[in-house]
Amino acid sequence: MTDQPGPIEPTSAVSGRGALVVLLAVVGLAAGGCASTENASGSREAGTSLAGPAAAASGLWESEVAPVPSPGCGSAATPSDAGVTDETLAHNGVDRDFTVFVPERDGGSPMPLLLDLHGLGSNKEQQRGLSGYEELARRDGVAVAWPQGLGERPGWDFGPNGANDDVGFMVELVAAIGESACIDEARVYASGMSNGGLLSSALACLHPETFAAVAPVAGYQVTADCGSPSSVILFYGTDDAVLPWAGGVGEGLGAVVKGEIPDLPPPEPPDMSADPGFLAPVPVNVNEWATLAGCDPERTEDAVSTEVAHWVYDDCDDGAVEAYVVDGGGHSWPGSEALADLSDPVISAVVGTTTFDISATDLAWAFFAAHPRR
């Protein structure tokens, strides 16, 4: 295991034109600068605290739902176990890499756990910077893991029968972390960008007994065998050129390969009857999720700003269903500076507009705190 006292910087520049890999790898551009910062000694800069006092004072994670201690609570993770480390977990005969942050803990309640999933062609280091969850985790005493996908263009199988069994890997990863650290099994969450968003929504469909809530960003699905899914808060742009609002796969994919700037907004909706394998339009998926959760089919839509609407489905039998819809928003993470200044015109056009009217990270974090597994 290798100790990593501070945030990880991206290791290489993004060229933009050589291959499809750069399409979603771009979400990590300048990502290291967006993560929380530490000084050379490894101690936190002023303005943040380690492992929970701020959360206790704010009451953000307080709930009538009692924590469910993981097996690791019996051996009680000690301060020497705290920090950021690179780890490996054998799954289906393959060594799988992940980075994990475990806050210092001196007694007290078990801590929540979040899995933060990168997009196709990206990596765990870039996702760590893109999302910025680590800053909040350090403040509130929450454990966060950044798994690494497999393949030349690292990504995730986001179905129940994937060749790499990434769904099974995530469930096993939660169990492994819960063996070595004191995790609250009622407060395990997943979030991800694009391909990582597709996987996080699959985890909510296929394993609601493990994941209390998920927060997909720019990638969302309802699996064919989705039962009673976990709570979800979704972030999506209507001008996403990669995984379009209208469904299917967008022209942005080919544009990067060819070095062409795609036309925005995205193409016409695909013919779902001709190819049911296409991803359904986002509103169709959100409505389907609300139906599975037993929500009132009539949602409320409130304007957060001139470009952001907040959808809420009320009276759900199981969990909660919310979405933040960014009018004109692209394939990006709302509120993340990582995508704010892209010099390559192809990549910039494919990513599209990033809104700063909301922070997906802050909103997802509050949603997680409010929705433990019941």
Side-chain angles (χ1 to χ4, degrees):
M1 139 181 6
T2 303
D3 185 62
Q4 297 176 347
I8 306 170
E9 298 289 340
T11 57
S12 61
V14 178
S15 64
R17 292 179 170 80
L20 180 60
V21 61
V22 298
L23 175 60
L24 299 180
V26 71
V27 300
L29 188 65
C34 300
S36 56
T37 57
E38 298 189 359
N39 60 30
S41 67
S43 61
R44 297 289 298 165
E45 297 288 354
T48 62
S49 59
L50 193 63
S58 68
L60 179 65
W61 289 88
E62 291 180 358
S63 170
E64 72 279 5
V65 177
V68 178
S70 70
C73 296
S75 57
T78 64
S80 63
D81 296 317
V84 179
T85 57
D86 281 339
E87 306 279 358
T88 300
L89 174 67
H91 177 72
N92 285 356
V94 178
D95 287 340
R96 303 296 300 266
D97 297 330
F98 65 98
T99 297
V100 62
F101 165 70
V102 176
E104 288 184 359
R105 179 179 177 275
D106 185 11
S109 298
M111 54 191 134
L113 170 64
L114 169 64
L115 303 189
D116 189 12
L117 310 174
H118 65 75
L120 177 65
S122 186
N123 57 53
K124 58 188 176 68
E125 290 85 1
Q126 292 174 340
Q127 181 64 23
R128 186 179 167 198
L130 172 71
S131 69
Y133 282 126
E134 184 178 347
E135 186 75 20
L136 300 178
R138 288 178 178 271
R139 183 195 71 187
D140 290 357
V142 175
V144 184
W146 297 272
Q148 177 62 43
L150 297 176
E152 182 180 353
R153 298 168 179 167
W156 310 108
D157 295 327
F158 47 83
N161 301 310
N164 295 326
D165 187 31
D166 286 320
V167 171
F169 168 50
M170 297 305 159
V171 174
E172 188 172 350
L173 177 58
V174 169
I177 295 173
E179 290 283 348
S180 61
C182 184
I183 298 302
D184 182 353
E185 294 182 345
R187 291 168 175 83
V188 177
Y189 309 96
S191 182
M193 173 68 191
S194 190
N195 183 222
L198 293 171
L199 178 55
S200 68
S201 52
L203 293 173
C205 273
L206 301 172
H207 290 284
E209 79 287 352
T210 298
F211 296 91
V214 297
V217 180
Y220 181 59
Q221 66 160 335
V222 180
T223 61
D225 47 359
C226 193
S228 297
S230 310
S231 296
V232 64
I233 183 170
L234 171 68
F235 302 88
Y236 227 99
T238 61
D239 281 0
D240 192 314
V242 179
L243 297 174
W245 177 259
V249 176
E251 295 294 329
L253 291 169
V256 170
V257 175
K258 299 174 185 177
E260 300 171 352
I261 296 176
D263 294 326
L264 297 178
E268 292 297 314
D271 183 351
M272 298 296 291
S273 62
D275 187 355
F278 269 115
L279 295 171
V282 175
V284 172
N285 274 337
V286 178
N287 287 337
E288 175 65 14
W289 198 289
T291 298
L292 292 170
C295 306
D296 187 328
E298 297 296 324
R299 64 175 177 256
T300 61
E301 299 184 12
D302 295 322
V304 177
S305 70
T306 57
E307 63 186 29
V308 180
H310 182 204
W311 296 2
V312 179
Y313 290 81
D314 297 315
D315 301 322
C316 302
D317 295 333
D318 297 302
V321 180
E322 299 185 21
Y324 283 86
V325 179
V326 183
D327 186 23
H331 194 71
S332 61
W333 189 285
S336 176
E337 294 284 351
L339 302 180
D341 183 19
L342 299 177
S343 58
D344 188 295
V346 175
I347 294 298
S348 180
V350 171
V351 169
T353 300
T354 299
T355 185
F356 290 91
D357 289 356
I358 60 171
S359 164
T361 300
D362 290 343
L363 290 167
W365 197 256
F367 186 84
F368 292 154
H371 295 93
R373 180 166 54 83
R374 297 178 182 271

